[in-house]
């Protein structure tokens, strides 16, 4: 089954798109996506393949996740999301959740995290203990740290903001720009639910947080308030 899916994906690839993606996703030596290989398939096309291969077993989906091709790993994750959303029992959802966390080493680029973490990990932990997110936030693995904060999008949807803020606190001094962007992005969503909550959080932290994180966080603030933060007079 894995070879069948790979052959299907290869038939959809475009060398020009692949070359652009190799640059865009920073796959060069020493860059965050070093060694990643692209087939050259746009995201909407990959999403269409989910319906075609949604009945793929979890075992074969995991095998697909092990491949070198970025779009194949993306499809594997989207299939897992689809399976989680269609699962009929808690046991089935728990199996998918555990499968996801057991293979974070293959969820190794920002778009792979962002299309899946909140829809599996966040969804699963909405009414469960969230301690695992704090372990991930302290991981040496950049992508596990990103999974921790992106997962909280699901909580924000339901107005639960405390864990997002607590994890943001842990990640404020993270050295990676991709974490700065993720934390800022999630804080912006907190503000969409409660401007006062985000504003209070930022007031005592904005001067020490990375500039990129701050810019993302205040992107939708009223212009006068946004300028106050940028000028350091909030």
């Amino acid at each position: 089954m894995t070879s069948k899916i790979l052959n299907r994906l290869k038939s959809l690839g475009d060398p020009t798109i692949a070359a652009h993606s190799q640059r865009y996703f920073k796959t060069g030596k020493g860059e965050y996506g070093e060694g990643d290989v692209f087939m050259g398939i746009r995201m909407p096309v990959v999403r269409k393949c989910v319906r075609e291969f949604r009945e793929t077993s979890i075992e074969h989906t995991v095998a697909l996740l092990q491949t070198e091709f970025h779009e194949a790993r993306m499809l594997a994750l989207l299939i897992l999301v689809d399976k989680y959303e269609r699962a009929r029992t808690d046991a089935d959802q728990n199996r998918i959740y555990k499968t996801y966390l057991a293979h974070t080493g293959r969820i190794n680029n920002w778009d792979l995290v962002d299309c899946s973490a909140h829809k599996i990990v966040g969804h699963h932990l909405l009414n469960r203990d969230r301690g695992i997110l704090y372990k991930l936030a302290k991981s040496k693995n950049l992508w596990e740290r990103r999974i921790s904060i992106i997962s909280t999008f699901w909580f924000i949807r339901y107005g639960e903001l405390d864990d997002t803020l607590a994890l943001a606190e842990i990640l404020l001094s993270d050295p990676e720009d991709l974490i700065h962007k993720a934390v800022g992005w999630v804080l912006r969503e907190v503000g969409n639910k409660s401007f006062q909550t985000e504003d209070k959080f930022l007031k005592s932290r904005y001067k020490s947080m990375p500039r990129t994180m701050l810019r993302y966080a205040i992107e939708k603030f009223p212009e006068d308030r946004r300028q106050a933060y940028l000028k350091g007079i909030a």
Side-chain angles (χ1 to χ4, degrees):
M1 175 59 78
T2 305
S3 60
K4 177 182 177 181
I5 297 174
L6 284 176
N7 287 336
R8 173 71 171 129
L9 289 175
K10 287 177 182 178
S11 75
L12 298 169
D14 181 315
T16 301
I17 296 173
H20 175 269
S21 296
Q22 295 286 155
R23 296 189 298 271
Y24 181 75
F25 286 95
K26 308 295 184 183
T27 62
K29 187 173 178 58
E31 296 181 308
Y32 65 75
E34 180 178 353
D36 210 348
V37 179
F38 285 80
M39 295 175 169
I41 310 172
R42 300 291 190 194
M43 187 64 171
V45 178
V46 178
R47 288 191 180 279
K48 285 182 179 179
C49 290
V50 175
R51 185 171 296 276
E52 183 177 350
F53 296 109
R54 70 187 339 177
E55 299 307 326
T56 303
S57 69
I58 289 180
E59 289 77 15
H60 282 118
T61 303
V62 168
L64 189 64
L65 192 57
Q66 307 311 308
T67 65
E68 64 177 329
F69 299 108
H70 186 97
E71 293 93 339
R73 299 198 305 283
M74 174 66 76
L75 177 58
L77 292 168
L78 293 176
I79 289 172
L80 287 178
V81 169
D82 181 69
K83 285 183 179 297
Y84 189 92
E85 291 173 346
R86 295 188 299 117
R88 296 182 178 180
T89 68
D90 288 343
D92 287 340
Q93 288 188 329
N94 193 53
R95 182 186 178 196
I96 296 164
Y97 162 77
K98 288 185 174 180
T99 296
Y100 186 92
L101 289 182
H103 295 90
T104 55
R106 303 304 298 156
I107 308 169
N108 54 356
N109 217 314
W110 60 264
D111 60 327
L112 301 179
V113 172
D114 295 1
C115 79
S116 60
H118 60 301
K119 294 181 178 180
I120 295 178
V121 179
H123 190 164
H124 198 72
L125 298 180
L126 181 63
N127 297 309
R128 294 179 173 89
D129 181 82
R130 300 170 185 176
I132 183 62
L133 296 182
Y134 293 84
K135 292 180 181 179
L136 293 173
K138 297 175 183 178
S139 171
K140 293 181 180 179
N141 183 303
L142 159 64
W143 308 116
E144 289 188 344
R145 300 200 303 277
R146 189 164 175 118
I147 286 170
S148 73
I149 193 68
I150 294 297
S151 292
T152 69
F153 268 122
W154 201 269
F155 310 154
I156 295 170
R157 176 183 297 187
Y158 292 90
E160 297 188 15
L161 310 179
D162 290 349
D163 285 293
T164 299
L165 298 179
L167 289 163
E169 183 79 62
I170 292 171
L171 296 169
L172 279 180
S173 58
D174 196 280
E176 296 288 347
D177 183 65
L178 284 170
I179 298 300
H180 303 168
K181 292 176 179 177
V183 173
W185 183 23
V186 173
L187 287 174
R188 184 189 69 195
E189 295 306 307
V190 168
N192 286 341
K193 279 291 184 180
S194 172
F195 171 81
Q196 291 77 12
T197 298
E198 185 190 0
D199 193 45
K200 180 179 179 181
F201 179 85
L202 291 176
K203 268 186 178 180
S204 60
R205 299 168 176 85
Y206 79 99
K207 290 185 178 180
S208 60
M209 68 169 49
R211 194 69 168 178
T212 297
M213 186 185 296
L214 176 62
R215 285 186 176 277
Y216 272 67
I218 62 176
E219 187 176 18
K220 294 186 178 180
F221 272 28
E223 185 59 20
D224 59 341
R225 192 70 181 135
R226 193 177 74 85
Q227 287 298 324
Y229 272 109
L230 292 175
K231 294 175 183 177
I233 55 173

